[in-house]
Amino acid sequence: MNLKRYLPILQWLPDYDRGQASSDLVAALIVTVLLIPQSLAYALLAGLPAQVGLYASILPLAVYAVFGTSRTLSVGPVAVISLMTAAALAPLADVGTEQYIAAAVLLALVSGVMLVVMGIFRFGFLANFLSHPVISGFMSASAILIVASQLKHVLGIPASGHNLLELFGTLFAGLGELHGPTLMVGMGVFLFLLFARSGLKPLLLKLGVPARIAGIFARTAPIFAVVVTTYLAWQLSLGEKGVGLVGFVPSGLPALTLLDFDQALWQPVMVSALLISVVGFVESVSVGQTLAARRRQRIDPDQELIGLGTANISAGLSGGMPVTGGFSRSVVNFDAGAETPAAGAYAAIGIALATLFLTPMIAYLPKATLAATIIVAVIQLVDLPAMVRTWRYSRSDSGAMLATFLLTLAHSVEAGIIAGVLLSVVMLLYRTSRPHSAVVGRVPGTEHFRNVQRYDVELCPKVTFLRVDESLYFANARFLEERVLELVAGSPEMTDLVLVCPGVNHVDASALESLEAINERLQEAGVALHLSEVKGPVMDRLKHSDLLEELSGQVYLSTFGAWQGLIGDRSPQRMIG
């Protein structure tokens, strides 16, 4: 066993120096400032007490530093996973109850175990079943749901629901109870954060602030909103005037315990835990790979499964919620100069100190501030133009994307992501079950062969070259048989058929039987079957079968070699494509 494969900390820790430590400490300080309001906000988004978000930002950060492969990824609660957590827990218990919190902890534990198991067995490829259009549709719909769910805190009105129809229905019903002071706080923070996103950095640059520092200040603007509104809520007694506050947050570090879970909870959380695991992994790896590429580094997706899995297990053991790599704070960590995962461990210490000493002040933090912070953070995830681009390029991908988007909005996040995955798989099976194939001919005076319907090529009526552009497996084997028999029936002069196989990367057992059947039927029709351009791995597998011995024709290294061997000096016909 390669110990460094499972403990990536051994790859960088032996060479860790003071310069790296200094850079990591600065980055950790900045990320800690950003992570405190985010942790609180995403815990409330999941329907959990604020301290659960803090707990999920301590031990997971430290554990990821040991098992993760990204040098700059920052792990903790994120918006989409928090929304999925809330959707998963809603049928199991009432928000805020002990059973609800216990279910969230169990969700983190089960998700973590699943991720670790997938990492050990190198199942990172499973995330490939979430196509980019499906992820894009899911993220856009989830962002809209998150915005809708947070409007109640900005407007100061009661609202509930787990899809857009329910949320908008309760929001419209409660508009008569609109609370002015809450709206002022929420809209004030919202407008400030919008300005900070696009206008604060240019303003600081005009004032002579270095670009790197200006960028960091712009990204950490939420902490200024938190400090100012918390101070105002304390000084002006906004809580007594009806403004919703975070309220009492217990100080102290979480205890490492394994809760006594109700057995009835285990089965209901399994599917949700799997979906959260896969979506969180895809989001985290996307962020990690993007940042690693900027420094010509790389991450190991299979080890990332273990890193995220152990982070989630540690979150569950310390009373936290499901976590994954976050985009905004990872970018801040990167821009702040983090050199190694130790920056995450230092940030964990910072969150721990905040949990010990800052919770009395957090009690005065307006929920409208956190809601505005979430809204500004997630609106960038809404990418409606991507649907138009996908529609123009691929109707099938657009269908899966639109179904995911609409089902997530109208039903639930789980229904949306499951439908998207199933539709992607169905469309893949449909496309590959009808593999593209083309009769090809020789481009005059060359060794190249092209589609007869597209190019001016040479043909021989007695020899047909059929190029297959897909791997052959159970879903398309029968289709190839029908294609070949159709060609033979339409070409009475044919004596030889060459299957040109540059696009065939795999032949499974069902396809092998089909090739054997094709060979037998062509023999009965007086036509010899030949193969050309068979790839090495495919040929290695075919050597373990009887096909090559029973083949009525030959296997040629190249299509031009088959042309020379079968046509030779015969006068080919010209055909205009």
Side-chain angles (χ1 to χ4, degrees):
M1 178 185 296
N2 183 1
L3 195 58
K4 289 185 177 180
R5 186 267 199 238
Y6 293 101
L7 291 174
I9 189 174
L10 299 179
Q11 299 174 14
W12 56 267
L13 187 59
D15 299 321
Y16 195 61
D17 56 33
R18 290 184 178 180
Q20 291 174 318
S22 177
S23 298
D24 288 341
L25 282 169
V26 172
L29 177 62
I30 295 169
V31 170
T32 299
V33 168
L34 176 65
L35 192 52
I36 291 173
Q38 281 193 350
S39 300
L40 299 170
Y42 294 145
L44 295 178
L45 173 60
L48 295 164
Q51 67 269 18
V52 174
L54 293 175
Y55 297 163
S57 303
I58 300 175
L59 198 55
L61 275 168
V63 169
Y64 182 82
V66 177
F67 294 98
T69 60
S70 172
R71 298 293 181 99
T72 53
L73 191 70
S74 181
V75 172
V78 300
V80 172
I81 299 303
S82 298
L83 178 65
M84 295 181 71
T85 299
L89 302 183
L92 304 180
D94 294 330
V95 175
T97 62
E98 290 296 326
Q99 187 180 18
Y100 190 92
I101 299 172
V105 172
L106 178 61
L107 197 60
L109 280 171
V110 175
S111 176
V113 171
M114 287 180 173
L115 286 165
V116 170
V117 171
M118 286 192 290
I120 292 174
F121 291 99
R122 297 180 179 270
F123 281 0
F125 69 91
L126 290 177
N128 296 334
F129 287 102
L130 284 174
S131 66
H132 179 73
V134 167
I135 286 292
S136 178
F138 175 71
M139 289 293 186
S140 294
S142 297
I144 293 173
L145 277 179
I146 291 169
V147 171
S149 70
Q150 296 305 297
L151 287 177
K152 62 181 180 182
H153 296 303
V154 175
L155 302 176
I157 61 177
S160 61
H162 298 287
N163 59 54
L164 199 60
L165 299 177
E166 295 175 355
L167 285 168
F168 274 176
T170 55
L171 282 170
F172 281 121
L175 282 178
E177 303 176 42
L178 184 68
H179 190 251
T182 300
L183 180 62
M184 291 179 62
V185 173
M187 287 304 299
V189 173
F190 175 74
L191 294 174
F192 167 70
L193 293 179
L194 278 185
F195 167 73
R197 182 175 293 274
S198 58
L200 182 57
K201 182 177 179 178
L203 177 62
L204 293 175
L205 291 175
K206 288 182 180 179
L207 296 175
V209 178
R212 179 181 173 186
I213 297 177
I216 291 173
F217 268 110
R219 289 194 175 96
T220 56
I223 196 62
F224 296 104
V226 166
V227 171
V228 171
T229 55
T230 300
Y231 178 77
L232 290 176
W234 174 54
Q235 285 291 315
L236 303 178
S237 301
L238 293 182
E240 298 176 5
K241 297 175 182 177
V243 175
L245 305 179
V246 171
F248 172 73
V249 177
S251 60
L253 299 177
L256 294 179
T257 58
L258 185 60
L259 298 180
D260 185 16
F261 298 108
D262 185 349
Q263 292 184 353
L265 288 177
W266 285 90
Q267 186 174 354
V269 304
M270 288 297 175
V271 174
S272 299
L274 179 60
L275 293 176
I276 287 173
S277 299
V278 176
V279 172
F281 170 65
V282 171
E283 181 177 357
S284 181
V285 167
S286 299
V287 175
Q289 288 177 332
T290 300
L291 297 179
R294 295 183 186 179
R295 294 182 179 174
R296 299 191 177 185
Q297 298 170 347
R298 63 177 299 273
I299 66 173
D300 180 353
D302 291 317
Q303 179 59 30
E304 281 300 290
L305 284 167
I306 296 177
L308 292 174
T310 52
N312 274 281
I313 291 173
S314 66
L317 293 177
S318 57
M321 57 189 288
V323 298
T324 193
F327 176 76
S328 59
R329 57 178 172 268
S330 294
V331 171
V332 170
N333 195 39
F334 180 92
D335 289 344
E339 296 285 343
T340 72
Y346 298 149
I349 296 174
I351 300 294
L353 293 174
T355 305
L356 287 171
F357 303 111
L358 297 182
T359 52
M361 290 179 282
I362 292 174
Y364 289 96
L365 175 60
K367 290 183 179 179
T369 299
L370 296 178
T373 302
I374 292 175
I375 291 172
V376 173
V378 301
I379 53 176
Q380 61 182 329
L381 297 177
V382 180
D383 190 7
L384 297 181
M387 294 187 181
V388 178
R389 295 193 301 268
T390 305
W391 173 260
R392 291 174 179 170
Y393 184 77
S394 171
R395 296 292 192 270
S396 59
D397 287 335
S398 177
M401 184 179 190
L402 187 61
T404 304
F405 180 79
L406 293 178
L407 271 173
T408 300
L409 289 179
H411 190 275
S412 65
V413 290
E414 291 185 355
I417 197 68
I418 290 174
V421 172
L422 292 179
L423 278 173
S424 294
V425 173
V426 168
M427 295 308 300
L428 172 65
L429 290 174
Y430 176 77
R431 284 195 298 266
T432 57
S433 69
R434 303 176 63 84
H436 180 267
S437 60
V439 175
V440 297
R442 181 191 177 197
V443 178
T446 72
E447 298 181 7
H448 300 292
F449 290 77
R450 294 292 184 268
N451 191 333
V452 299
Q453 296 180 349
R454 296 177 182 272
Y455 293 88
D456 178 8
V457 294
E458 296 177 341
L459 297 174
C460 177
K462 293 184 178 298
V463 183
T464 299
F465 292 82
L466 178 63
R467 191 187 69 217
V468 183
D469 295 330
E470 292 277 0
S471 292
L472 301 177
Y473 71 117
F474 66 91
N476 61 24
R478 181 64 179 168
F479 184 84
L480 179 63
E481 283 187 55
E482 294 174 354
R483 175 78 165 117
V484 169
L485 295 178
E486 179 187 6
L487 282 175
V488 174
S491 305
E493 299 180 48
M494 185 192 303
T495 59
D496 298 271
L497 175 68
V498 182
L499 285 182
V500 184
C501 306
V504 179
N505 298 309
H506 174 70
V507 176
D508 73 357
S510 297
L512 175 63
E513 290 186 9
S514 289
L515 289 175
E516 292 172 342
I518 290 171
N519 181 58
E520 183 178 345
R521 293 184 183 183
L522 289 182
Q523 274 186 297
E524 294 172 355
V527 177
L529 176 65
H530 309 270
L531 303 176
S532 74
E533 300 189 34
V534 181
K535 293 185 176 180
V538 177
M539 182 61 73
D540 291 340
R541 295 178 67 90
L542 293 180
K543 288 178 180 177
H544 294 288
S545 71
D546 297 328
L547 176 65
L548 298 181
E549 294 181 5
E550 298 175 356
L551 193 67
S552 56
Q554 301 182 47
V555 178
Y556 291 95
L557 181 64
S558 68
T559 306
F560 183 68
W563 175 278
Q564 288 181 311
L566 297 173
I567 297 177
D569 297 330
R570 300 181 192 178
S571 298
Q573 298 176 351
R574 294 289 294 275
M575 181 172 182
I576 304 299

